[in-house]
Each structure stands twice: as structure tokens, then as C-alpha cells.
Amino acid sequence: MAKTFLIDTSRCTACRGCQIACKEWNELPANDTRQWGSHQNPPDLNAYNYKLVRFNERRDGDTVRWNFFPDQCRHCIDPPCKHEADAYVEGAVIQDPETGAVLFTEKTRQLSEEACEAVREACPYNIPRRHPVTGALVKCTMCHERITRGMLPACVKACPTGAMNFGEREEMLALAEKRLAAVKAEFPNAMLADPDSVSVIYLLTDDPFNYHQNAVAGVTRDLDRQQFLARLTAPLRRSARAAMQG
Amino acid sequence: MTNHWIDLKNADAFLIMGSNAAEHHPISFKWVLNAKERGAVVIHVDPKFSRTSARSNFHVPLRSGTDIAFLGGMIKYILDNEKYFKDYVVAYTNASFLVNKDFGFQDGLFTGFDPQTRSYDKKTWSFQLDDNGVPKRDESLQDPNCVFQLLKKHYARYTPDKVSTITGVSEENLLKVWEAYSATGTGTKAGTVMYALGWTQHSVGVQNIRSACMIQLLLGNIGIPGGGVNALRGEPNVQGSTDHALLYHILPGYMATPTAAWQTLADYQKANTPVSKDPKSANWWQNKPKYMVSLLKAWFGDKATADNDFCYGLLPKLEAGVDYSYMYLFDRMYHDQVRGGFIFGLNPMNTLANTHKARAAMDHLDWVVTSELHHTETTDNWRRPGVDPKTVKTEYFLLPSAHRIEKEGTISNSGRWTLWHHKAIEPAGEAKNFGFMLIGLANKLRAKYLQEGGALPEAVTWQDWPQHYDAEEWCKRINGFFLADTKVGDKTYKKGQLVPSFAALKDDGTTSSLNWLYTGSFTEEEGNKTKRRDPKQTPMQEKIGLFPNWSWCWPVNRRIIYNRASVDPTGKPWNPDKPLIAWENGKWVGDVPDGPWPPLANEGGKYPFIMHTHGFSQLFGPGRVDGPFPEHYEPVETPVTSHPFSSQLSNPMYKFVSGDLDKLAKPGDPAYPIVLTTYSLTEHWCGGGETRNVPCLLEAEPQLYVEMSEELAREKGIKNGDGVIVESIRGKVEAIAMVTVRIRPFAVQGKTVHLVGMPFCFGWTTPKCGDSTNRLTPSVADPNTTIYELKACLVDVKKTDQLTEIAR
């Protein structure tokens, strides 16, 4: 059965338990970081950070908004990175039919630097990173070796507040709708990010761009706002209809 | 915590103040967010907008050190608008007590102040007693000398405009918080206060917390689910360490340390055992002699007998009036009055105030023994930057310590649950646990005294130490044993069996216990209760998330203390939707009640605040040294030269030490116009000695920063990410500027006051991460606890291109 994450940012306190747990489980070395005027560190995803909590702050009139975005691979249902990589090396990127996990294999080492760049370009969320030593493409593995043994992904296990959730797709979609309805009381513009096309669904309480430029796929700030919202809410309306009919 | 973590979910309103709970107690927010989803309002009052603020309904910025003005204003608001829960206030608090007619307050000082000694004669801070010695009460609350009227008079000065001008909080924001929070004073709503070091680390720290207690009492929020005054304690096992008396002023179980004035056990018991003439007052501390004698029996075993005062004479005695806390200890060290000592489990060279002085003070020691996981600023003080090790006479020993996960034992959490934790792996290398080290040391010392004698050798040789450390055996000793065959109810316990509850402890030497509060945690019937992990609960307990069979909690597994205040005098819960205890068919159901007696209105009933001599909680609290009512005083280092409530600028009793390294900036000092507040962060633990050695934590928070407003940065020509020097009158610290909208300037008395914030977890043993922020903070402290004022002092900041402590 396909697995799905629900990342409820309305419950995220940016404790970074997920970011640290991911590094620990994957035994990734630490980057030599510097304080650069932000709590977001390392500044971006890299070969040693498959998961990164992004911090985005602004003042909205007299109110401060500080948004937290635990960024990671969305494990797209129809993954563009796989389509792109297949054109270069068959089997470099695979999708586990059982869980839906999109996995970068050892064969990604056979991808040239340019091919890796093309795969990264293909990703609507700018996730893949090339390992500086091995040349492999790396990213979140959905903790495949854990979830196939009945355990939760390390990031979900570590989350203290219930921001990170993981389970069967139907179950997570239902939870997402329930959570969305609950947070709308306080945040009328709350939304789910690309719920129909990804296995990692974010519940956002603010404009996606106020979290991260790649919080949602394939739109830019220039896109007409109405179009943008229509596109975002269409899947919701669809699933709401489906839920009512079901 | 009066309550516990899960119970946070029962609150209808949260006042998170003096705490950054989401960052420092991450698990708390699981429950806070559950309540919020149910419709609870979450309010964060704090100088900076933090990760806690981000998840709150609203954040209100407050100038650091003005909490009492803010809370005093709230007390006035509650009284003026009759938001208090009157039935509770009359029945359970001392609002109705008549105070000594000679008691008074004028221009910032209570009656009895002696400016020469900077102390109060508290004679007039007393209650009028009737012929039987019971406090006189006026339940109409109209008598001009009753606590309620005095309270009204005291806080009449705390008007919104005055509070606003000194705190820097707009009147609109003040009223928003006061109104939202005081809406819980109905009997059927619950409000909780969550605080931590943001309240304690001030020269008025204890009175900050007193203010919160008073608000909670007025609103009827103590003793109920979702209520309480909740000190958030954490991983450092602060709860366990205070319970077991890691501090000098108490013995295990919150009993006073003997002083030179109490030479015999009789002296001690007389001075420390309160007497109540009111038959309705349980006056629980009347049992103290039983706990003290049981403690002496646990310490001295068979050597302790009634004839020798149970070895009370062998205990060290404090000199009256001498303060033995850190601030004075390091001052004495600096003045060559201390020769050596042990520093276990802390990193004072990073965490004490004014670490320039603390670091220099340690150089005066002949020897020091440390025990740590890693090298820290304390273990390696002898080779700190700018010091030639050859010039340091101190001999340092570093004993490698086992990590928490390398040993078994208990930790007491903030909700007073004592939980067993298992050993996950064997300690690395030669590392040992503290129990091994301390018992080994005690036995070596004893052997040496037995062989060589010395002054008063019995103080050591008569102590009852085991040969080897065994955590579970130690838990049994803490619980306590019967030392003679004893009948409790229908059951007979044999000599050597475990005592089932502190009600069975005796003052005749037939029981032992290392801590009466923990008696009942390890019993013949149920074994080691700290290992219990059974989620079984009754439907009534399920409603409020009470798990009585999960671990064990002191006292007697009572999950919410003062719970008799959650019911009316007939035993009916004030809030029928969330009952905590209830008197049903002649018995209590729900939580373990605060004592077995029937409800207050019944024959044999008792007042709910059983730890107070008179049985009532204290709106008028004469126990503190600096006043029965909290009063606003500025921090010792303050950006203002006056405040609107009195001409007494700072706490008249704040503690300090003086010397060449103990400089203080004067009030409103133009050279240091910016307020500095200091704090922890999620990613590092306390002084950072452990977590800076965990690579992925250091990756996430690598270097010392100073958070400042965009306005201040503009004024100073500082850009985000620039290197800066933060300077107080005591020293300079390098940091990276974090320019943020989350800190904003305060409008105080018509002027702009800037505030900056810095974490204190970085130190020089981690290369190029920065060094102790506490080189900036002052050696001044609260007069009740001698906790340093680390949350508010004065600095200036300037940009620098030449960083030596921090790598770019």
C-alpha cells in the first residue's frame, strides 16, 4: 500500500528533531556551518542533509509571522526525477511499487554532473543533491529500510508535537482534511500543498511563498493569483467531493 | 509543576511568560497545541518573538524585568472588574484574613525595613489571631485590614497607563492579555501559567512567581485540571535535584538545613514544626519530626538512636545569616577562602553570571575534581584563552563520567513523576556513573578515618553507606524501611520491609527514609513503581488524561497537588465536565486526594491547602524576605532612572558581591543603553558542554549570535550576519548579528529602549564558536534564592570586522 506523510506546519515548533533524527539515522556527517544571521542551518539541503527545517519570518502590520517548513523529498506519485534520470541511466531512480518511495540508487553514480543537474532541474521542489565525493545523487529515502520493517520514518518518530505524520495514503488524506478543517478556524487561507501529486503533503497556514519558494510545485510569484489558488484548491475540491460521495 | 505535562491539554487559557516552552520543553507543546485546537487561547508574553510565540494565538513583547508591573496590573484588572472566582477566594485563600493593624506599605517599602542592614523586621507582616490562636477572618472581604482590601490598595497604583509606560507594552496589548486570561475565573474554566528561568533569573525572581500564584488563586486556577503554576523543569533533572536537596539550604524533602542556632534535634524540631490551633487545618508539616528522624536513621543506620539525638549533632550546621550559594561561593573562592572542591554535572565557567570573575576565582583553588562526558570550559579552565597554564597553581582532575544512556536509575520529570530508565549501552572506556564515584569516595574516606582518626570521625565513619552502588537498592533506601516489626492498619510489616507510605513514617527511630516525599514509590506490594507503564485509568481519569498507573509521582501518586481546591466545600467538582476528585458515597474518587479527610463542609473536613499552617493559600505571603505582596522594582542594571510606582528603583534587598570584578552600570547609564537578555535554545543543552560535542547539533546552531531589531541594527550600521562586539561594564563578547523582526524596540517612558538577546551555550573549548555570554552578566541576585539576575542587564553593541573568537 502506498505510504504518505502529512506535515502539519500548524503544529511545527521548528525544534528540528526531524532534521537531526534524519542525519542520525542516515549516519550523515555534519557540515562545517557558520552562523549567518539565521536559525536555518545548514542554509540549504545538501548531500549530508536530506531534511532541513526552513525558517521564514516577516512582519505583517504589527504581527510577526514566523513560518517553519521541514523540507524534504515529496516522493511524487509520478516522479519527474525518475523520468529524467531514466533517459540517462535506467535504474538510477526507481519507485518502490509497495510504498511509493522514490529511491536514488547506487546507479546514480553513473550519472554525469550535467545529468545530475538535469535531474535536479526536473524536480519541482529542488530536492536532489549530488554527493561531492561519490558523485551519487542523494535525498530522503522515506526511511525505506525502516518502513518496510514496520517502523516509522526517523523524522516522524522524533517529532514531539504531531507535526510529522506517516501512514497509509487514504488514512493520511483523511487526516489532512480533518486537520485542515480544524486549522481553518484560525487560518482561513490554510491549504494542502499539491496533495494529489505527492506522497509528502504539507498543511500550510499561510501563502506557500511565505514558507519557501519551492513549497508548492511549478508556480512562480508571477502566476496570476486567482489561477494559482484555483490550481491549489482544485484537488481539495475533488477530494472533498470524493469524500462526500464515498 | 503543580500539575503535569499531559494536564496542559485541559487548559482553556495559557499564560506562557518567563518561558520559551516550545524551544526548551518541546514536549509541552504537544499538549498546548491539543488544547489550542480545542479552542484554548495561548498567550506568550516575552521580550522576543520565539518559536513559542509562533505557535501561540498572540505574542506580546515585554521589556525584560518588568513582569511584576505587568502582572500587578493584571491583579488590579481582575479585582476592579470582579473577574475573580469569589467562592474559591473566600473559602480557600487567605483573602479574608485580618492582617496586623500596624502593617503598611509606603513608597516602595513595607513596614519594618532597616536601610542599614537592607533587611526587614517582619513582625507586622502577621495575622490578627482570635483567643484560640486562629487567624481572624472577614468572609465579607470588607474589613479594611483584610488581605483582600490590602491587596486592592496595594495594586491600585498599577493602572494600565503606568504599566504600559514602564513595560513598553501598549495599553491595548495589556488589556488584550488581561481580559483573555482572566476570563478563566469562573470555576468552570481553567487557565495555566507556564514559566521557567525567564522568571526566576531576576533580582525579583521569587516575587515574579508569587504574582502568578496570586493571579491563579484569584481566578481559582490552583488545584484544578488545566490550571496551576507550572515551573517547567527538564532534562537536567532539576525536579529530582531539588527534591533530593542538591542545593545547600534544604535537606531531602524540602526540610531546612540545620543551622548553628539549632544545636539539638529538639531545637531543630521546635523551630521547624509549625503549630495550628485550628481543627480544620491539616497543617501537614506538623509531621516533619517523623520525616527528619527517618532521614537521620537512613543516613546513620543503627548508630542513630534516641539517646544520641539520632546523630543530629553530627550534621554540619550553617552559620546563621551566611549565604552558601554559588555567587558567594565563587566570591569566597576569589578571596582565597576555599581550597578545593568537586564540580559534577555542571559547567559554571560558562553558566554563572560574570564568568570573568568565576574563571579567575577558580585559579585560587589548590585542587578541583570534575566529572564530565567531555572537556568543558570548567574542566579546562586552567588553559583558557589568555592564561598561561604555568601560572595556574590549581591541580585539576577529570573523571570520565557515564552518559545518561549508559546507566540505569530514575529521573523525576517536571510533573513530579519519577521514571525508571534502563541502561542502553555500557559506558565507554573508563567512564563510570556518579553513584560509583561518590560511594567509592565515601568508603575510601571512611576507611581513612577508621585507620587514622581525625576531628569528629563519627560524622563520616557512622554514616551508613553500602559497599557498592546499585540504583535500585538506592531507590529502596529513598523509599525507606521499617526498622522494627510494625502494624499499619490491619497489616504487619516485618523489620527490614519497605514502608508503604509516608503516613507510616515515625519519629521514634523505627523507620528510615532518605526522602519522605518518595515514600510509597517502592513497596512490598507493588515493587519498584517507577517502572510502571500501565495506561489503565477510570473513565473519570480518562476525561482529563490522568494515568495513575504510569510511573509514580510524589506525593503518594497525587498527580495534581492541592486537588481538594478543585471541589466546593461539599466535595462537588467546581467544573463538572473535568472532575479531578469528587466525594461520592462517602469516599473520594479520581486523583489521590490531598489527604483522606472528608470534604471541608463535612464533620472532620479540612482546608485544602494542607502544606500551609492555617490551611489557606496565601494571597498575603509573609514567608518571603522582600515583601508579602510583589512590588515592581527595576532590574539592578536598568535603562531607566525612575519608575511610576515608587521612588525605590530596585529591589531594596537584592543580593550582590563587591570587588574589583563586580562592577555595575548605573541606572540609565548612557555608555550601556541597551538591555541584554540571555537564554537557551533548543539545539544546545544548558552551558552546551555536551551538545557542542554532538556534530549535527553544532551544525544546526554553530556559533554565538545576538538577536537585535532592524531599528537598532540601522542605528548602529549593523547588517544581518555581521560580526559585532557586545560590551557591558564587565567585559566584551564577540557575536554574529541576527537582525530580526522578532525583536522590536520598546517605548518606555516616552523614549526608545532597545533590547538584544543572546544564548549562553557557546564556549571556547569548541573552536571558533564564540565564548561565554556570561562574561557580560552581573553578580546580583534575588534575595530569597540568590539566583542571578541573568535575564536583564545593560550593554552596548558595535560592529566589528575583527573577530578572534568566532570563525567566519
Side-chain angles (χ1 to χ4, degrees), chain A residues 11-12 14 23 39 57 179, chain B residues 34 37 51 55 699 740:
Chain A
R11 291 186 78 95
C12 178
K23 279 197 89 102
H39 289 292
E57 68 184 41
R179 295 284 318 135
Chain B
N34 283 359
E37 197 166 305
R51 295 181 241 186
R55 290 282 76 85
E699 174 192 76
T740 173

Side-chain angles (χ1 to χ4, degrees), chain B residues 237-251:
Chain B
N237 202 6
V238 174
Q239 187 65 53
S241 70
T242 47
D243 295 345
H244 293 291
L246 210 65
L247 302 171
Y248 82 91
H249 70 300
I250 43 171
L251 303 182

Side-chain angles (χ1 to χ4, degrees), chain B residues 184-200:
Chain B
T184 58
T186 60
T188 53
K189 295 268 182 216
T192 189
V193 172
M194 294 164 69
Y195 81 91
L197 304 182
W199 267 355
T200 58

Side-chain angles (χ1 to χ4, degrees), chain A residues 34-148:
Chain A
R34 297 283 182 267
Q35 175 51 255
W36 57 292
S38 169
H39 289 292
Q40 182 178 311
N41 235 334
D44 196 6
L45 292 170
N46 60 75
Y48 304 134
N49 287 80
Y50 304 161
K51 176 122 192 171
L52 176 73
V53 179
R54 297 183 185 276
F55 293 69
N56 197 309
E57 68 184 41
R58 71 184 198 286
R59 195 176 287 174
D60 188 358
D62 200 38
T63 308
V64 176
R65 301 274 178 216
W66 202 11
N67 291 329
F68 310 130
F69 190 77
D71 198 8
Q72 64 170 88
C73 171
R74 310 299 197 278
H75 297 278
C76 296
I77 289 164
D78 186 12
C81 59
K82 181 175 183 306
H83 292 304
E84 188 68 25
D86 282 351
Y88 298 101
V89 179
E90 193 76 26
V93 177
I94 58 173
Q95 189 171 25
D96 176 28
E98 188 67 22
T99 59
V102 177
L103 301 169
F104 288 180
T105 71
E106 288 292 292
K107 286 190 182 167
T108 56
R109 295 181 191 214
Q110 297 167 24
L111 294 168
S112 68
E113 199 169 343
E114 293 70 30
C116 282
E117 189 54 24
V119 173
R120 193 186 63 77
E121 286 282 334
C123 172
Y125 305 102
N126 188 16
I127 298 295
R129 295 292 184 271
R130 189 163 192 253
H131 196 286
V133 180
T134 67
L137 264 184
V138 293
K139 66 162 191 72
C140 163
T141 65
M142 207 189 260
C143 280
H144 192 255
E145 66 286 3
R146 289 175 61 94
I147 63 171
T148 49

Side-chain angles (χ1 to χ4, degrees), chain B residues 425-442:
Chain B
I425 50 170
E426 288 301 322
E430 294 181 329
K432 301 285 185 200
N433 63 55
F434 291 147
F436 174 92
M437 295 180 208
L438 292 173
I439 287 178
L441 176 69

Side-chain angles (χ1 to χ4, degrees), chain A residues 8-16 19-20 23-24 28-42 46 48-49 55 57-59 61-68 160-162 178-179 182-183 186-187 205 211, chain B residues 22-23 26-27 29-31 33-34 36-37 48-51 54-57 59 173 681-683 694-705 707 709-711 720-721 736-745 807-808:
Chain A
D8 180 352
T9 65
S10 79
R11 291 186 78 95
C12 178
T13 57
C15 73
R16 294 195 269 201
Q19 179 179 322
I20 306 297
K23 279 197 89 102
E24 292 280 5
L28 297 168
N31 295 282
D32 185 14
T33 54
R34 297 283 182 267
Q35 175 51 255
W36 57 292
S38 169
H39 289 292
Q40 182 178 311
N41 235 334
N46 60 75
Y48 304 134
N49 287 80
F55 293 69
E57 68 184 41
R58 71 184 198 286
R59 195 176 287 174
D62 200 38
T63 308
V64 176
R65 301 274 178 216
W66 202 11
N67 291 329
F68 310 130
T161 60
K178 192 175 146 209
R179 295 284 318 135
V183 302
E186 191 183 353
F187 305 101
T205 61
Y211 288 85
Chain B
E23 297 196 30
I27 196 65
F29 257 63
K30 172 177 180 174
W31 307 108
L33 291 170
N34 283 359
K36 188 175 175 220
E37 197 166 305
K48 92 176 161 170
F49 187 103
S50 67
R51 295 181 241 186
R55 290 282 76 85
S56 299
N57 292 86
H59 166 250
N173 272 344
L681 52 144
T682 312
E683 294 75 6
V694 179
C696 54
L697 292 174
L698 194 65
E699 174 192 76
E701 285 291 356
Q703 293 175 321
L704 181 57
Y705 55 85
E707 292 181 286
S709 69
E710 292 175 332
E711 292 84 348
N720 193 32
I736 302 301
M738 193 184 286
V739 179
T740 173
V741 298
R742 294 177 291 99
I743 290 193
R744 58 178 83 184
R808 296 312 291 153

Side-chain angles (χ1 to χ4, degrees), chain B residues 73-297:
Chain B
M74 174 141 56
I75 291 174
K76 176 174 162 58
Y77 176 87
I78 290 167
L79 296 173
D80 288 353
N81 297 285
E82 299 191 12
K83 297 284 187 181
Y84 51 93
F85 181 28
K86 193 170 179 198
D87 293 346
Y88 183 106
V89 168
V90 171
Y92 298 154
T93 77
N94 67 9
S96 64
F97 282 33
L98 304 191
V99 173
N100 187 326
K101 285 182 176 143
D102 295 330
F103 169 77
F105 174 83
Q106 204 178 7
D107 193 25
L109 294 171
F110 299 90
T111 42
F113 188 69
D114 177 352
Q116 252 22 72
T117 57
R118 297 178 78 249
S119 66
Y120 280 105
D121 175 348
K122 301 201 289 184
K123 193 170 67 218
T124 61
W125 307 3
S126 56
F127 299 115
Q128 299 178 30
L129 304 179
D130 67 15
D131 296 343
N132 297 321
V134 175
K136 288 186 190 168
R137 298 175 61 201
D138 171 20
E139 295 202 354
S140 75
L141 308 181
Q142 297 305 313
D143 190 297
N145 285 309
C146 81
V147 168
F148 187 80
Q149 292 299 330
L150 293 175
L151 186 70
K152 260 191 155 164
K153 195 170 141 197
H154 188 81
Y155 291 104
R157 296 166 295 142
Y158 287 65
T159 55
D161 58 327
K162 285 184 182 168
V163 172
S164 174
T165 193
I166 200 70
T167 57
V169 181
S170 68
E171 287 190 47
E172 185 194 345
N173 272 344
L174 288 174
L175 289 166
K176 193 167 153 190
V177 176
W178 295 345
E179 191 183 334
Y181 193 73
S182 58
T184 58
T186 60
T188 53
K189 295 268 182 216
T192 189
V193 172
M194 294 164 69
Y195 81 91
L197 304 182
W199 267 355
T200 58
Q201 291 177 339
H202 288 280
S203 55
V204 293
V206 171
Q207 299 286 8
N208 281 336
I209 299 151
R210 274 275 301 147
S211 311
C213 295
M214 290 160 65
I215 286 169
Q216 290 295 71
L217 290 172
L218 287 170
L219 298 173
N221 277 332
I222 298 285
I224 65 169
V229 174
N230 292 305
L232 308 183
R233 280 124 165 237
E235 176 67 37
N237 202 6
V238 174
Q239 187 65 53
S241 70
T242 47
D243 295 345
H244 293 291
L246 210 65
L247 302 171
Y248 82 91
H249 70 300
I250 43 171
L251 303 182
Y254 301 95
M255 297 189 285
T257 305
T259 72
W262 309 323
Q263 284 296 317
T264 66
L265 181 59
D267 294 340
Y268 179 90
Q269 304 289 36
K270 181 156 185 270
N272 289 286
T273 311
V275 177
S276 168
K277 303 276 176 55
D278 189 336
K280 280 191 168 303
S281 177
N283 182 25
W284 193 265
W285 278 120
Q286 69 178 293
N287 294 302
K288 201 179 282 178
K290 301 170 189 169
Y291 309 149
M292 185 64 185
V293 171
S294 296
L295 178 61
L296 289 166
K297 284 299 293 179

